[in-house]
Structure formats: structure tokens, C-alpha cells
Amino acid sequence: MQSLILKFKLPDIQLDSSFPKKMITETSEDQNINQALESYLIRYCTNTIAPYFSVLIEGPWGCGKTWFINNVREKLLEIHGKRCLYVSLYGVSTISDISDQFFQQLHPRLASKGVQRSWSIIKSMVKVSLKVDIDGDKDDDTLNLSLPELGEMAGPDGAVLIFDDFERCRIAPAEVLGYINQFVEHEGYRVVILANEEKIESPDVKFSKIKEKVIGRTFHVRPQVRAAVDSFIMELVDDDAINILKTRKNLIREVEQRGKHNNLRLVRQAVLDFADMWSCMPVQEKRLKENSAFLDRLVLDIFSLSMEYRAGTVTANDIVKSKDGGFLLSRIRFGTDDPTPEASEAETRLSLHKITDSWDLALSPDIYSSFFSNGRISANEAAEGIKFSRYFATNEQPLWRRLWYSRDLEDNEFALLAEEAHNKFLNLEYTEWGELFHVTGILLKLAKDQLINDSPTDILSAAKGVIDRIGAQGLIDFGDQRRVPRGYFDRESAFGYRFNSIEMSEFQEFSNHYETAQKKARHNAFFNWASTWMDELERDASVWASRIDTKGGGDAFYTDQPIFSYIEATDMANAILASQSAKINQISRSVHARYEHVGAQRTWQLEELVFWQTCLAIVKDRMSSRGSKTLSTFHLRETLIPTVEEFLVRLEQLQKKLAAVQTAN
């Protein structure tokens, strides 16, 4: 069949005075933000005098055009008996695709798959031509249905035609308007077009002329957040989530106004996100539903984070930064609560919603980040989040955590907790680094604010003493022999809470002292680990080699740690000289792989330079006492010694290069 080609002329049309043409109306922003537009559309669709022009409802994606027109459709049908035929132009590539949508709405039975196979029945029931795929063979067949068939509904009791997603149509904009014009000009239909004019691709002169003839009035629709929120909430199935949100619509509106996204899709997604998060909570706990402050903050957090996350202005990693103090620290440095001149877009956006300090959040930033990254949180995560939320502070929480929430404490309770924390601190009851840092930070802050008798200098001196004492007792966590030590500590936060006093010089000095003690403890431990490692060389060279070679098949503890600097060069030389060929070759292969790549990113290798220089000299000196005809001597001379000499040259060159750079700077 040939494609449907529309050829038409656009005559000047004399309009009825009740329908002024070429007006662009901007609705005012108030409680009934689009009430004037709604009233006009109802008059336009129900007036007995044909307007002979269409109405364009314009606005950016997500502003609620479809939601708005659906509400108008309901009122037109229920109050005025006017049926609306709705067509989405999203992805439509041929005129027949549009006609198919009309046909399916007008003749749902004829459009069913079963009836489509009965060409003869359909042909006898309709009159003029319209292309429809009747038999499912993806070819355009011809049915007797066209514009005149719709014409019966052009009067007050007939239909209204709605064309949505105009800018997403694959047909040329001018051609689509030409098709729509057949309904407007020749049949007197009431036609409403929904579009984001900014996204219409390549509007040319032809399009502009046709638009001038076809579209009589253009309205810019505004998001109706309050009304839309009501609708979105009622889509939920969880009664608790519905009740929580229904009583906090003003809070949701405030979040939307601050964000200024003007996008109802983001609001709807935030409603769904809240319902999803709520379903992860231990909702059987009555205290959750009774804690209105927690619920207020939970709604604020989720709606703020959801809308920014869905809009692409904030990532899951950005959310975590409010835990680490990244946003807060920048304010401390500049002495302001506002975003700094160096603030990122994410910081600026979160600052709008007051999400820069984890103390205020209903749940920890980690939990929110996990939720938006994975779409859900586990029952354990939810339970932990509730347990340590400031809104559910109890005596079951650690002492330092209750003091962390000191803004909520009564005077007597605060005094008792502060004294208890100070005593436990001095009695070495805080040895885990996170707890120790939290307690030290809290005591420094209390001292600075003169809420305890000690000064910040007194607390710093006591804290250093605590570190020295727990270090002497071997209670500092310096990790194990693995490449990534578990003894790592964060200078800004632990357990999802930022430290108090991180801006104070006393806290920084305390942090440096702890790091020094940790390095010292780890340094001492390496001597024991190195001794154990050398025992492995004597028992099984392949196991020994696997500790420094990731391809060795074992635990490569020391691939990027200077383990050789903890070994006596004489002990290694003696072990090499006492080895047979297989072990000598194993040692040669493993050290060759260790120093195959030498560079500024591996400066730890230079810590082993003196060790290998000394070891090689000892081996060469004692070679004369070995039998020159033995196989092991041959492998020492031809394999191991050249291997060591080769990487020593590279290490010495790197040392000179780095020294030159340092001198130049």
C-alpha cells in the first residue's frame, strides 16, 4: 500500500471572538497554579462554536504537562461527558502510527489481535480509508476509517484530541502539524498539543508558518507540586508510608522549591524512594512511627537526596562526604556556614537542603549512599541505622556516642557522662582507634568550651600519655603483614560520625602522635614477621617466594612493603650460599620479578637498596670458598648474581634521579 501523504493549503480563518488567537499566557504561581489554564481548556473543549485552532501546552520535561492534562481529561469526561482521545507521539515514525492509536481507542475490539486476523469482518464494518496493520504481518493494510469517522464527535458531545510528546516524534515537526491541521481546520476538532518547545529539533521556516496557522494559544504550564504529591502518594500501597507523607506535604513542597528542578518526575520518584526505604525499616517497631522528629528528618533526607541524585547533581559518593566531614571542613576553614568559593556542585546542592553534617541526618550517610547505589538496604543496615540514629539515643549506645549527641542532653546527664568518659579515657578503656579519636575529640571540644575543668593542653597531654601507654602494652592496632594494613585510621571520622575538634591544632597533634606510635609498633612487628619469613625460606623456597610475588600462588604479604630492610644482610647471604640450585633459581626468579619495574611510584624499593648492596658484596666475597665446579656455584655466578647486579643498577639510578629532583626543588 502507498503511504498516506497529506497535501493541504492553509487558508486564513476567521475565528469566533470568544477564542482570541496568538496569545501566550503565563499562569501565576499560587495555590491553584494552573487553575486559569484548566478553566480555559474546559471552556475551549466544551464551547459549541468550533475554534478552528489548537492549544499548545508548553513546558520542560518533567514539569507535569501529562499529569495536568490527565486531570483535565477526567473532569471533561465526568462533568461534561467529553471523551478525550490521547495519543503519545513518542517514537512515532509514520502518520499511520498515529492513526493506529486512534483506531485502538475507538474500536478496542477491532484492534484486538484476534479480530485483526479477520480482514473481511473489519472491512464490512467501517467506511473510509486509514492504514492499520490488521493481520499482524507488519504491512500497512487499508481500513475504511479516517477523519470523517471521528467527525461525529466534533460537537459538544464528542471527543477532544490530545497529542503528547510532540518534540519526541520522529516525523518532521511540520508534517505532524500538517496532520493535526486536518482535524483543526476541516473538522473543527478541539485539539491540545503537549510539547517541550526547547527540544523540538530543527524547527524551520515551514514549521513556523504552519505553527502560526494551527496553534491559536500557547500556555506555559507550571508544576503543581501539592496536587501532584497527593496523586503520587495515593499510588503507594503501604498505609504507613501514605500516612507519613500525607501529613508532610508542606515539607516535600519546601524541598522541591529549594531544589528548583521544576520536575514532577523527580518528585514522584522521591515518593517511591521513600516508600522503598520505609519498607526496609523495622516498621514493626512502634517507636519509629511515634517519633515525629525522626520521620520529619527522614522525609527531608530522602526527598532532598533522591531529587538531587535523580537529577544527576549528586552522586552516592557525594552523599558519603557529609559523613567524612569533607563539606563541613571547608566551612570551618572559611569560617562560614555557606558553600565555599571552592565548593563543588554537589556541595552547593546539598547545602541548599542542609545536608552537610551527618549529625542532623535521620540515618547515616553510609546508609543513604548504599540505598541509592543499590536500590535497597539490608535489614541489618536498617537496624544499625536506627540503633545509632540521634533520634533514638539510648543508654545502650556507647558513651562517646551519647556525648556526641550532647546537644540533646540535660545538664545532670551531660555532667555525669563527661566525667565518666574522662575517667575511662585515663584508665585506658578506649584502645580501639575510632573510639579513642572520638573521645579525645569530644574532650578537647568540652575543654575549649570550658565545660570541663581541663584545658585543651591538659587533654592533649593526657591523650599522648594514653597513646604511649597503650603502645607499650601492644594495644595499638597496627594491622597485620598484608599489603593493606588493617591499622589504617581516618583523621576525620569513624563509625559514620565525624570527629569533634578536627579543626583544633591539639587534635591534629594528637592524630600525628597516634600515627607515629602506630608506625613504630608496625615497624617493630616487621622484625618478627621477617624472621618468620626467613624460616619459610629454609623449609620451602616456593612458599617464601610467594610472599613477594603475586603470581606465587600464596599470600603475597610483602609485594609492596620493604620486607628485606628488616632482615640482616649476613643472614640472607648465608642462606643463599647454603642453597642448592633449585632454591638459588627460585630466589633469582622471585627477586627479578620484584624489581622488574623500578620507578618513582615504588620508592619503598629504595629502602632495600643498602640490604642488597651488602648482601651481594658478602656473597661475592665468599664465592672463593665454594667449589667452582659445583652446579650451585654455576647458578650463583650465572643467574643470581647477574640478576641482583642488574636491578641494583636501576635502583641506584632511581636514587640519583630522585636526589636530583629534590635538589632542584
Side-chain angles (χ1 to χ4, degrees):
M1 297 292 297
Q2 293 182 345
S3 299
L4 177 61
I5 301 176
L6 298 175
K7 296 181 180 180
F8 52 88
K9 180 181 179 182
L10 298 174
D12 292 328
I13 301 171
Q14 184 64 41
L15 300 177
D16 182 84
S17 59
S18 62
F19 292 99
K21 198 172 169 65
K22 300 277 74 70
M23 292 182 63
I24 297 179
T25 304
E26 191 88 23
T27 56
S28 60
E29 187 168 6
D30 53 28
Q31 186 173 2
N32 299 317
I33 192 170
N34 293 314
Q35 184 59 53
L37 171 56
E38 179 181 308
S39 299
Y40 174 82
L41 285 178
I42 291 177
R43 294 197 308 274
Y44 167 81
C45 294
T46 57
N47 198 306
T48 56
I49 302 174
Y52 294 111
F53 67 84
S54 63
V55 173
L56 172 64
I57 298 179
E58 194 278 331
W61 289 337
C63 71
K65 298 185 296 293
T66 302
W67 180 86
F68 168 77
I69 202 64
N70 283 337
N71 288 337
V72 174
R73 288 172 62 189
E74 290 182 8
K75 292 182 179 180
L76 283 171
L77 181 61
E78 295 175 1
I79 300 175
H80 303 281
K82 293 282 290 185
R83 180 183 180 185
C84 295
L85 298 182
Y86 173 90
V87 171
S88 173
L89 300 177
Y90 197 131
V92 168
S93 57
T94 66
I95 293 297
S96 64
D97 291 337
I98 305 174
S99 301
D100 289 348
Q101 293 190 53
F102 280 136
F103 178 73
Q104 291 167 7
Q105 294 178 64
L106 288 169
H107 304 282
R109 293 186 178 182
L110 296 182
S112 66
K113 292 183 179 179
V115 180
Q116 280 185 12
R117 298 189 184 97
S118 303
W119 167 264
S120 59
I121 297 176
I122 298 176
K123 188 176 181 180
S124 66
M125 295 180 65
V126 290
K127 297 181 180 179
V128 272
S129 64
L130 178 69
K131 295 192 306 181
V132 179
D133 183 13
I134 296 299
D135 51 13
D137 62 1
K138 298 184 179 179
D139 291 329
D140 286 330
D141 305 311
T142 299
L143 279 181
N144 289 330
L145 178 69
S146 67
L147 307 183
E149 179 73 13
L150 301 177
E152 298 175 0
M153 294 181 292
D157 297 327
V160 175
L161 306 185
I162 298 172
F163 295 87
D164 199 356
D165 299 310
F166 182 90
E167 73 283 358
R168 289 172 164 144
C169 187
R170 294 183 180 178
I171 308 172
E175 185 176 348
V176 179
L177 281 184
Y179 175 76
I180 292 174
N181 184 68
Q182 302 300 296
F183 299 102
V184 174
E185 176 187 347
H186 300 299
E187 304 298 329
Y189 273 69
R190 282 68 170 163
V191 175
V192 180
I193 304 170
L194 278 60
N196 180 354
E197 284 199 286
E198 292 182 357
K199 300 298 182 180
I200 297 176
E201 293 186 3
S202 304
D204 53 17
V205 175
K206 181 180 179 182
F207 169 76
S208 299
K209 289 183 178 180
I210 297 176
K211 177 186 174 185
E212 182 76 15
K213 295 290 185 180
V214 178
I215 297 174
R217 295 196 67 170
T218 297
F219 291 88
H220 296 285
V221 72
R222 299 283 187 87
Q224 293 179 255
V225 177
R226 291 183 181 178
V229 167
D230 283 334
S231 175
F232 299 153
I233 291 174
M234 296 315 297
E235 293 178 8
L236 303 178
V237 296
D238 186 291
D239 290 338
D240 287 337
I242 291 173
N243 292 332
I244 292 169
L245 295 182
K246 282 177 66 177
T247 56
R248 290 168 175 82
K249 288 184 289 186
N250 287 338
L251 183 59
I252 295 171
R253 174 62 172 157
E254 290 171 6
V255 172
E256 190 276 335
Q257 286 181 323
R258 280 197 300 270
K260 297 181 180 179
H261 292 293
N262 295 322
N263 192 321
L264 292 186
R265 290 193 184 95
L266 296 181
V267 178
R268 183 175 186 273
Q269 186 60 60
V271 170
L272 298 177
D273 281 337
F274 180 87
D276 287 342
M277 175 66 88
W278 183 255
S279 69
C280 299
M281 296 284 102
V283 293
Q284 70 279 5
E285 295 188 21
K286 190 176 181 181
R287 60 176 181 155
L288 260 67
K289 305 172 189 177
E290 294 177 345
N291 193 326
S292 59
F294 168 74
L295 294 178
D296 288 346
R297 186 69 211 198
L298 187 65
V299 171
L300 174 64
D301 291 350
I302 294 177
F303 274 79
S304 300
L305 294 173
S306 174
M307 294 181 70
E308 299 301 335
Y309 180 81
R310 306 292 177 187
T313 58
V314 168
T315 68
N317 288 334
D318 293 325
I319 296 172
V320 174
K321 288 182 181 178
S322 63
K323 172 201 74 174
D324 294 334
F327 294 157
L328 183 69
L329 280 177
S330 62
R331 287 160 174 67
I332 292 171
R333 287 195 294 269
F334 282 86
T336 177
D337 289 331
D338 298 322
T340 69
E342 303 170 343
S344 65
E345 180 186 15
E347 179 180 356
T348 301
R349 298 302 301 179
L350 291 179
S351 297
L352 290 173
H353 303 290
K354 307 300 181 184
I355 299 181
T356 53
D357 186 346
S358 57
W359 186 87
D360 292 317
L361 303 183
L363 302 172
S364 75
D366 285 320
I367 290 181
Y368 290 133
S369 178
S370 177
F371 174 77
F372 287 106
S373 296
N374 307 316
R376 193 166 181 81
I377 58 173
S378 67
N380 289 336
E381 286 179 304
E384 286 296 301
I386 294 298
K387 180 179 179 181
F388 295 120
S389 170
R390 66 177 286 259
Y391 298 92
F392 297 96
T394 66
N395 292 333
E396 298 176 2
Q397 292 186 351
L399 176 60
W400 68 263
R401 202 182 306 263
R402 282 182 279 162
L403 275 174
W404 201 91
Y405 294 131
S406 60
R407 282 179 274 185
D408 295 339
L409 298 176
E410 296 182 358
D411 288 348
N412 292 338
E413 183 182 11
F414 166 75
L416 291 173
L417 290 176
E419 182 179 4
E420 183 181 357
H422 189 267
N423 292 336
K424 288 185 174 182
F425 173 71
L426 295 177
N427 292 331
L428 306 188
E429 294 189 37
Y430 296 111
T431 58
E432 197 280 328
W433 76 267
E435 290 188 328
L436 179 60
F437 271 58
H438 270 301
V439 172
T440 302
I442 289 170
L443 292 177
L444 282 172
K445 183 179 186 304
L446 297 181
K448 177 184 176 182
D449 295 339
Q450 299 183 353
L451 293 172
I452 57 177
N453 293 327
D454 295 294
S455 68
T457 303
D458 295 332
I459 297 298
L460 173 61
S461 178
K464 286 183 174 180
V466 169
I467 292 173
D468 294 340
R469 290 158 61 196
I470 63 177
Q473 297 178 25
L475 299 177
I476 288 183
D477 180 9
F478 51 78
D480 59 19
Q481 67 266 48
R482 296 184 181 278
R483 289 181 296 165
V484 181
R486 291 180 301 178
Y488 164 81
F489 68 94
D490 188 333
R491 290 175 178 266
E492 295 180 353
S493 67
F495 313 118
Y497 292 78
R498 67 173 179 84
F499 300 131
N500 282 268
S501 310
I502 52 179
E503 79 285 1
M504 293 179 63
S505 60
E506 290 85 355
F507 186 89
Q508 297 303 319
E509 188 174 342
F510 157 77
S511 180
N512 291 336
H513 194 78
Y514 184 88
E515 183 177 22
T516 299
Q518 187 187 58
K519 288 180 178 178
K520 180 180 178 181
R522 186 170 179 79
H523 176 76
N524 293 335
F526 255 103
F527 287 108
N528 294 327
W529 295 336
S531 177
T532 301
W533 185 48
M534 290 304 292
D535 291 340
E536 290 180 333
L537 177 60
E538 183 177 348
R539 295 192 304 269
D540 189 335
S542 62
V543 173
W544 177 89
S546 71
R547 305 304 186 200
I548 59 173
D549 185 2
T550 55
K551 300 178 182 178
D555 288 324
F557 297 142
Y558 313 121
T559 55
D560 56 4
Q561 298 189 84
I563 185 65
F564 284 109
S565 63
Y566 295 91
I567 301 171
E568 287 292 336
T570 302
D571 293 341
M572 187 66 189
N574 290 337
I576 291 173
L577 291 167
S579 299
Q580 293 298 309
S581 296
K583 184 177 291 186
I584 291 171
N585 288 326
Q586 180 73 70
I587 295 172
S588 180
R589 287 193 299 271
S590 60
V591 296
H592 171 75
R594 183 173 181 82
Y595 302 104
E596 184 176 8
H597 302 288
V598 173
Q601 289 74 32
R602 296 181 173 86
T603 54
W604 58 267
Q605 294 172 330
L606 294 178
E607 297 181 45
E608 299 178 335
L609 175 58
V610 173
F611 166 84
W612 281 113
Q613 289 171 332
T614 306
C615 181
L616 180 62
I618 295 172
V619 170
K620 283 183 174 181
D621 182 61
R622 295 184 184 177
M623 283 286 289
S624 58
S625 63
R626 294 176 63 91
S628 60
K629 300 297 183 181
T630 63
L631 185 62
S632 59
T633 300
F634 172 82
H635 284 293
L636 271 175
R637 185 178 60 251
E638 300 297 326
T639 305
L640 182 58
I641 291 177
T643 296
V644 175
E645 288 177 334
E646 181 184 359
F647 69 68
L648 276 177
V649 170
R650 294 201 300 272
L651 288 174
E652 289 165 354
Q653 290 174 342
L654 174 62
Q655 186 181 51
K656 292 179 181 178
K657 181 180 179 180
L658 293 178
V661 171
Q662 186 175 7
T663 301
N665 293 335

